Amino acid sequence: MGKELASTNVSFDFLKGSSEFLNLVLNNISSCVLLLNRDMELQEFNNAMKTIFTARKDEYLLYVRCGEAIGCAYQVEEMKDCGTTSHCSFCELRLAALTSYSEDKVVFKESIIKPFLNGEGEKVDKHLQFSTRLFRFKGERYILMIIDDITHLSTLNQ
């Protein structure tokens, strides 16, 4: 691999023809990377998504709305679709994603505390740090959402 200067914004230029390498990189980073469409449906995700969020490891998640895919406790408790619960209009993840999509605004490293269901079906609060931005590919617009679970760090500071 040739050395490229990061400041020229071409440091990964040598990967243009290597989707296999890029998939390996995405699936081996600890941040959850989600690609959502305008309806907040999951189009793609990396392996970290299942480690951080889902209660059931083998469920099929593509084309499922974001809150349903990540195990939002409100969606399950109210038995409503993501986007229709009493908490959706206040959900920072949802609002940031929609703002990025509709206004082409970047949301960078915002923090929230939100309840999710764990593998045993128990409600647990997770401290999350997230960023969103509009992502264009082959004429389509998507929302790129990157989430880190900072619960451990947040509880250390208490």
Side-chain angles (χ1 to χ4, degrees), residues 48-110:
M49 199 279 267
K50 286 188 173 186
T51 341
I52 294 173
F53 290 111
T54 55
R56 295 181 304 259
K57 299 294 181 204
D58 295 325
E59 64 187 332
Y60 190 72
L61 299 170
L62 288 181
Y63 312 111
V64 173
R65 290 202 177 182
C66 183
E68 296 160 18
I70 63 177
C72 172
Y74 299 126
Q75 182 266 322
V76 175
E77 286 174 346
E78 294 183 22
M79 295 188 300
K80 291 185 175 181
D81 293 336
C82 172
T84 64
T85 76
S86 61
H87 296 271
C88 290
S89 59
F90 307 107
C91 175
E92 294 94 335
L93 290 172
R94 180 177 178 75
L95 294 173
L98 293 173
T99 298
S100 289
Y101 187 86
S102 62
E103 300 174 25
D104 197 5
K105 287 188 179 176
V106 174
V107 175
F108 185 67
K109 291 195 176 186
E110 295 288 326

Side-chain angles (χ1 to χ4, degrees), residues 16-158:
K16 280 184 180 174
S18 180
S19 61
E20 179 185 0
F21 185 83
L22 288 175
N23 280 326
L24 285 169
V25 168
L26 278 172
N27 280 317
N28 283 286
I29 61 173
S30 60
S31 298
C32 171
V33 179
L34 306 175
L35 190 62
L36 306 164
N37 67 11
R38 69 172 186 229
D39 297 322
M40 296 292 294
E41 295 169 334
L42 196 57
Q43 302 297 294
E44 295 292 337
F45 59 91
N46 68 343
N47 289 343
M49 199 279 267
K50 286 188 173 186
T51 341
I52 294 173
F53 290 111
T54 55
R56 295 181 304 259
K57 299 294 181 204
D58 295 325
E59 64 187 332
Y60 190 72
L61 299 170
L62 288 181
Y63 312 111
V64 173
R65 290 202 177 182
C66 183
E68 296 160 18
I70 63 177
C72 172
Y74 299 126
Q75 182 266 322
V76 175
E77 286 174 346
E78 294 183 22
M79 295 188 300
K80 291 185 175 181
D81 293 336
C82 172
T84 64
T85 76
S86 61
H87 296 271
C88 290
S89 59
F90 307 107
C91 175
E92 294 94 335
L93 290 172
R94 180 177 178 75
L95 294 173
L98 293 173
T99 298
S100 289
Y101 187 86
S102 62
E103 300 174 25
D104 197 5
K105 287 188 179 176
V106 174
V107 175
F108 185 67
K109 291 195 176 186
E110 295 288 326
S111 296
I112 62 166
I113 301 169
K114 188 170 172 58
F116 294 91
L117 296 181
N118 67 13
E120 290 78 43
E122 301 165 329
K123 186 163 61 168
V124 294
D125 283 338
K126 289 188 182 249
H127 299 245
L128 305 175
Q129 186 175 64
F130 67 94
S131 300
T132 62
R133 71 175 31 213
L134 183 64
F135 180 82
R136 293 177 176 88
F137 183 70
K138 293 187 178 182
E140 296 293 327
R141 295 165 29 127
Y142 299 96
I143 304 152
L144 179 66
M145 183 180 285
I146 299 173
I147 305 172
D148 289 294
D149 185 351
I150 57 170
T151 304
H152 181 70
L153 295 173
S154 297
T155 55
L156 287 176
N157 295 329
Q158 294 178 356

